[in-house]
Amino acid sequence: MESDAEEEAAATPAAAAGPAAGRLKGSPELTVDADMREMAKTAAWSVSSCKAGNGVAALRDDNLDTYWQSDGAQPHLVNIQFQKKVQLQLVVLYVDFKLDESYTPSKISIRAGDGFHNLKEIKTVELAKPVGWVHISLSGADPRETFIHTFMLQIAILSNHLNGRDTHIRQIKIYGPRPNPVPHQPFHFTSREFITYSTIR
């Protein structure tokens, strides 16, 4: 299982903001900012297709030896639906070109909306023979747009390496900002010193 230490680890530079985030290669360690938390533990997960024994559960089992394998026409879709509107900042995928070769995604689209009826593409990324954790920032081109506010996220695999048809993804994590630790405080303080002195005694 993912430990608190992993969630609290130092920041890894995320994908560049904008419609296209460049060619990503992956990182051996899963590291995120300390002010983020994993958001999708209670979400409803579904996929457009899967091979028997390699279903949606493999995306969330914290086991890098298992994987979801699609079994149908592209694009291959992973759907994450939340019970209420949530703030999301980061999508992290584990993929491995060395093991999966032509099953490895090469182009991914991230879409968000209230449901299947109004999903809009918010980010497209290309992967270059990735091995490890691929960090995809959901922030916009405007530096003030640090997260998206949505009921649903869809990860669409548009193409694979070596013109492969079906795809393998070994893990997916979805991160958003931690709740403000200071009640009724409009500003989000992250250091212990600021939090200590943020209320009137």
Side-chain angles (χ1 to χ4, degrees), residues 86 110 115 179 183:
V86 293
I110 307 290

Side-chain angles (χ1 to χ4, degrees), residues 21 31 34 84 88 109 149-150 174:
T31 54
K84 60 182 180 180
L88 305 177
S109 168
H149 207 201
T150 189
I174 313 290

Side-chain angles (χ1 to χ4, degrees), residues 23-25 74 76 95-98 100-108 125-131 134 157-168:
R23 295 174 65 80
L24 308 179
K25 292 182 178 290
Q74 295 175 351
H76 306 302
V95 287
D96 193 330
F97 179 77
K98 290 182 179 178
D100 298 326
E101 298 181 334
S102 66
Y103 288 93
T104 310
S106 61
K107 190 172 185 179
I108 295 176
V125 295
E126 293 187 3
L127 280 57
K129 298 182 179 179
V131 177
V134 174
I157 313 305
L158 304 181
S159 61
N160 294 316
H161 284 74
L162 307 174
N163 296 315
R165 187 190 77 149
D166 284 311
T167 200
H168 285 180

